[in-house]
Amino acid sequence: MIVLHGISLPPGRFGGSEIEALFCNQLDFDAHPYFSEIRGIEVSAHLLVRRDGAVTQYVPFTERAWHAGESCFRGRTRCNDFSIGIELEGEDETPYDDRQYDVLQAVLPALFAAYPAISAREVAAHSDIAPGRKTDPGPAFDWLRLYDGLVGRS
Ligand SMILES: [Zn+2]
């Protein structure tokens, strides 16, 4: 499956180097009050999609990344074991950037082609697989827009 996330560090601020630092275990947890709340967490994702559409891959798709945490999809727990995690630089209540949708329209069909077990039906929100614990990518993420762009391509 593919899990879509939203992330910003500190929350609501875009464009800094903090997300990359976190994914590379180099975040200075003393640099911002919020970071002390997440001190020590080890997080990684396969892809990060910035607001401007820039994509960085941190983990090969064939390797496990640590993005889902305690989670469940169709009765199967530990989603990190069988998922690709895509982090969108964003925040639950702020509309995602057009360029991020453009990237997803390109990346998702490529992943569907490479991994035939995955189709648009296997793309879920972090909030779907960890309800009550996670809210991202949040109500600001336009799923209909995503699905409309994928119609006929999966
Ligand atoms: Zn998430």
Side-chain angles (χ1 to χ4, degrees):
M1 70 175 300
I2 294 170
V3 181
L4 297 187
H5 300 261
I7 187 171
S8 53
L9 288 176
R13 188 189 299 170
F14 304 144
S17 60
E18 290 86 356
I19 299 171
E20 174 148 319
L22 177 67
F23 290 171
C24 296
N25 288 323
Q26 294 171 346
L27 182 66
D28 176 3
F29 290 105
D30 295 317
H32 186 279
Y34 172 75
F35 299 161
S36 64
E37 297 177 25
I38 59 170
R39 186 181 299 276
I41 65 165
E42 295 184 358
V43 183
S44 58
H46 294 92
L47 297 182
L48 171 66
V49 183
R50 296 280 193 176
R51 307 291 297 179
D52 65 1
V55 180
T56 305
Q57 182 161 13
Y58 293 96
V59 180
F61 295 127
T62 51
E63 304 279 319
R64 184 190 295 105
W66 302 98
H67 58 94
E70 188 181 326
S71 51
C72 181
F73 182 67
R74 294 180 187 158
R76 202 173 159 195
T77 58
R78 297 174 56 95
C79 294
N80 284 331
D81 292 350
F82 57 93
S83 67
I84 291 170
I86 300 178
E87 296 272 3
L88 304 169
E89 185 180 21
E91 186 272 326
D92 286 7
E93 309 290 340
T94 303
Y96 287 82
D97 195 282
D98 289 346
R99 293 165 292 187
Q100 295 177 299
Y101 290 98
D102 291 345
V103 167
L104 291 174
Q105 305 301 355
V107 167
L108 294 179
L111 289 172
F112 300 157
Y115 300 98
I118 305 175
S119 75
R121 293 174 188 79
E122 285 76 40
V123 180
H126 198 189
S127 56
D128 292 332
I129 62 166
R133 196 174 67 80
K134 292 292 179 180
T135 60
D136 61 304
F141 186 77
D142 188 344
W143 287 91
L144 287 179
R145 176 174 177 174
L146 177 71
Y147 289 138
D148 282 348
L150 295 174
V151 165
R153 299 178 64 177
S154 62

